[in-house]
Amino acid sequence: MRLGVLDVGSNTVHLLVVDAHRGGHPTPMHSEKTVLRLAEQLNSRGELTKQGIASLVDAVEQAKVSAERWGCEDVMAFATSAVREAHNTDDVLATVADSTGVELRVLTGEDEAKLTFLAARRWYGWSAGQLLVLDIGGGSLEVAMGIDERPELAESLPFGAGRITRTRFSNDPPKRSELVATTAWLDEQLSGLAERIRGVGEPDRVVATSKTFRSLARLTGAAPSSAGPRVARVLTDTGLRQLLSFITRMSSEDLAELEGVSGSRAHQLVGGALVAEATMRALSLERLEICPWALREGVILRRLDLSNGEDQTALVTGRGRG
């Protein structure tokens, strides 16, 4: 079965095409991205602008055409924090549906955490024991932990790399005072997270997913993506501290020249690194393993789990527009 996943995020619209079947390993066949930075296209009323909506419609239509060209039997389209938090979400979803025929489903932050956790659990298997999963997106930080496929704890916190950059920094590179103030603020905001995690238990394995953590790991010496997904990659607290002392002095233009940093995300690398460091410090973590699977793979796996004839109208969240 050939499936498509269309992920409308804070920075990009990402289409992933895979060959997959229930009980099998999803094999990536095609991937394409359109950089929109939707989170930066909100007006003073918190609404996605007309230009932002038009750009989103064009990107979704382009992805739909690509999915058809690649022979996808089904395309699961979802949106995360940028669309979820817009004050005109219903209008955005209706316009996309009317213009392209694609029904975007809005994931809650908790949905994101649970589906990302599912992907990590399947990647590492039951031998991982009590699994703690961290994911820094553009708009939010997802944290999930549990010993089963459904996490006992699943939280979404408003500390995404892009959000921190937009709301805490006025300079590029950030001033020393901005860095110090943001670090102290994050420490305060994350102070209760460790206690909530201890309420679930002690993790046997701690993993991190998605682009921010992958970029940070690459910049601290992890293998490049060309080495393949099964190469072990880690991010250490020591490596991250050393990296921060380096990248906080660089402009986003210079950061974009570093290997492993995409031009569309370079401007938020420092914000993401501060969130990663604060989270590791709050949870007393010295080391994170980088998991190659994340939210999109979780959506695919959930879809395959439902491919035994059960009702699939609530494909991801059971929610329609809104």
Side-chain angles (χ1 to χ4, degrees):
M1 178 186 302
R2 179 156 290 183
L3 300 173
V5 178
L6 182 59
D7 177 358
V8 177
S10 297
N11 288 301
T12 63
V13 174
H14 187 170
L15 173 68
L16 175 65
V17 176
V18 302
D19 282 344
H21 61 273
R22 191 177 183 195
H25 184 287
T27 303
M29 301 302 295
H30 174 69
S31 176
E32 64 181 62
K33 299 178 184 179
T34 302
V35 178
L36 295 186
R37 293 190 182 180
L38 289 180
E40 299 175 17
Q41 299 192 49
L42 300 177
N43 61 27
S44 60
R45 298 185 300 275
E47 299 173 337
L48 189 60
T49 63
K50 291 183 179 179
Q51 181 57 52
I53 296 174
S55 298
L56 176 58
V57 167
D58 289 344
V60 170
E61 180 62 33
Q62 177 182 326
K64 177 184 176 182
V65 171
S66 293
E68 292 172 350
R69 185 172 65 250
W70 280 87
C72 292
E73 299 177 36
D74 191 8
V75 177
M76 297 155 287
F78 64 89
T80 55
S81 64
V83 173
R84 180 172 68 232
E85 296 176 9
H87 290 178
N88 57 339
T89 298
D90 288 347
D91 291 339
V92 173
L93 299 179
T95 301
V96 171
D98 293 342
S99 301
T100 69
V102 175
E103 293 272 354
L104 285 177
R105 297 187 182 277
V106 177
L107 296 182
T108 67
E110 184 177 334
D111 290 331
E112 289 188 58
K114 289 179 177 179
L115 288 165
T116 302
F117 182 88
L118 173 64
R121 169 60 73 192
R122 294 284 177 89
W123 181 266
Y124 289 105
W126 297 115
S127 64
Q130 187 84 264
L131 184 65
L132 173 59
V133 179
L134 308 174
D135 178 2
I136 300 172
S140 57
L141 162 69
E142 272 68 55
V143 181
M145 181 169 164
I147 200 164
D148 297 317
E149 290 202 335
R150 292 183 181 272
E152 187 173 343
L153 177 145
E155 294 188 11
S156 180
L157 305 170
F159 309 130
R163 190 191 302 271
I164 294 298
T165 302
R166 291 191 307 274
T167 61
R168 304 290 307 185
F169 302 153
S170 300
N171 300 275
D172 181 17
K175 290 184 177 180
R176 174 68 178 171
S177 58
E178 292 177 319
L179 297 170
V180 171
T182 299
T183 297
W185 179 78
L186 284 169
D187 285 344
E188 179 183 1
Q189 295 296 311
L190 292 170
S191 61
L193 182 58
E195 183 176 351
R196 297 196 295 276
I197 287 177
R198 282 195 297 270
V200 178
E202 288 294 325
D204 297 306
R205 197 163 196 165
V206 184
V207 304
T209 72
S210 297
K211 183 63 175 179
T212 294
F213 277 117
R214 289 200 303 270
S215 295
L216 295 173
R218 178 70 188 108
L219 290 171
T220 57
S225 58
S226 59
R230 292 178 177 80
V231 174
R233 297 173 174 87
V234 300
L235 176 65
T236 66
D237 59 343
T238 301
L240 182 54
R241 284 195 301 272
Q242 293 172 344
L243 176 65
L244 268 167
S245 68
F246 174 64
I247 63 175
T248 51
R249 298 194 296 267
M250 300 176 66
S251 69
S252 57
E253 183 178 355
D254 290 334
L255 290 172
E257 299 298 319
L258 299 178
E259 185 179 356
V261 179
S262 62
S264 64
R265 296 175 186 266
H267 68 295
Q268 63 184 44
L269 180 66
V270 172
L274 290 179
V275 174
E277 184 194 36
T279 304
M280 294 181 73
R281 184 166 52 249
L283 302 181
S284 301
L285 301 174
E286 297 180 356
R287 180 179 183 273
L288 302 174
E289 296 181 57
I290 305 301
C291 178
W293 280 3
L295 177 59
R296 285 181 289 274
E297 287 78 12
V299 171
I300 293 167
L301 292 167
R302 179 60 54 80
R303 166 64 171 80
L304 294 174
D305 288 347
L306 296 174
S307 64
N308 61 350
E310 296 179 8
D311 180 15
Q312 296 177 22
T313 58
L315 185 59
V316 177
T317 67
R319 299 176 179 83
R321 298 177 184 171

